[in-house]
Amino acid sequence: MYLINYHAGVGLLLHAQLGIAMAVLFLLHHILNLGWYRALFRGHYSLRRSILTVTDLLLLVFMTAMLAGAVMISGMVFPFSAIPVKAGWRTVHVAASSLTFLLMAVHLGIHLHGPLGRLDRRWKDSAFEYVWYLLGVVVFAAGCFCLAQSRVPGNLMPEGNPLAYGYSDFIQWAFDGVAMLGICFPIHWLYKAIDITVQ
């Protein structure tokens, strides 16, 4: 949340340090999940597995693009960098960061399908069932509103998103968190619809 709401020219060193930490965690995550790569060409690809695989591959592509952009503009932060800074790479870095954010939300939604499905079953045929579904709709609607107010769509447009600059950093981080959570629910509903169709 902090990294994607970076203010140009303010706290650039901290932004770079946290970005490096995130890159290390990203690499560690993939090392711990090497089995996923080994299984790519094995087994049957159901619709659910296909969605997950495409999402993860796109996430890998955009995360790599974001990190490549960061390396290519590293001279803005680290004087020892021998790589010449080019403005075009900053555009790649910023746009890829927003696409990565959106795909992370989809990835999270896929992995939350199991826990959310258990809550669906737990409250099925109970007094809380409709409240639970209404809560999901409210979170989804709030997520759409917060995404529209955030800097994520602005990073994908040359003119930016003027709505995203009228709030404090804390509010922007909250917007991003709610937006990410809001994306999780339609992914859960999609997977649930697939499960019903398959049955």
Side-chain angles (χ1 to χ4, degrees):
M1 306 307 175
Y2 174 82
L3 287 171
I4 206 166
N5 284 292
Y6 166 70
H7 296 274
V10 180
L12 186 56
L13 179 60
L14 179 60
H15 179 79
Q17 290 169 337
L18 290 175
I20 291 170
M22 183 175 178
V24 170
L25 291 173
F26 176 73
L27 180 61
L28 180 61
H29 179 78
H30 280 266
I31 291 172
L32 292 173
N33 288 279
L34 285 176
W36 180 78
Y37 289 97
R38 289 192 292 269
L40 273 177
F41 301 102
R42 300 176 186 169
H44 169 70
Y45 270 82
S46 63
L47 181 56
R48 284 183 54 173
R49 185 185 179 190
S50 298
I51 293 172
L52 175 61
T53 303
V54 170
T55 299
D56 286 355
L57 289 175
L58 287 174
L59 184 54
L60 178 62
V61 168
F62 289 124
M63 188 72 174
T64 302
M66 181 179 67
L67 294 176
V71 170
M72 295 305 292
I73 60 175
S74 60
M76 296 172 61
V77 190
F78 304 113
F80 56 80
S81 175
I83 301 173
V85 177
K86 294 184 178 179
W89 279 105
R90 183 185 180 279
T91 303
V92 170
H93 177 67
V94 171
S97 69
S98 281
L99 290 168
T100 298
F101 176 88
L102 294 172
L103 285 166
M104 280 183 176
V106 174
H107 180 87
L108 180 63
I110 290 171
H111 287 291
L112 284 179
H113 171 64
L116 291 175
R118 285 192 288 274
L119 290 175
D120 287 346
R121 291 188 293 274
R122 178 179 178 181
W123 288 316
K124 186 175 176 59
D125 299 324
S126 72
F128 194 66
E129 180 180 8
Y130 296 105
V131 176
W132 166 240
Y133 284 118
L134 178 61
L135 179 63
V137 172
V138 169
V139 171
F140 171 59
C144 291
F145 171 81
C146 290
L147 183 62
Q149 300 288 317
S150 76
R151 293 181 186 166
V152 173
N155 288 342
L156 300 172
M157 299 180 289
E159 66 274 15
N161 182 10
L163 294 175
Y165 293 92
Y167 304 97
S168 67
D169 285 344
F170 179 79
I171 296 297
Q172 288 293 164
W173 301 340
F175 277 165
D176 288 344
V178 174
M180 183 169 278
L181 187 60
I183 292 172
C184 291
F185 273 90
I187 299 301
H188 164 59
W189 295 331
L190 172 63
Y191 263 46
K192 189 173 179 180
I194 292 172
D195 291 342
I196 293 171
T197 303
V198 171
Q199 290 174 0

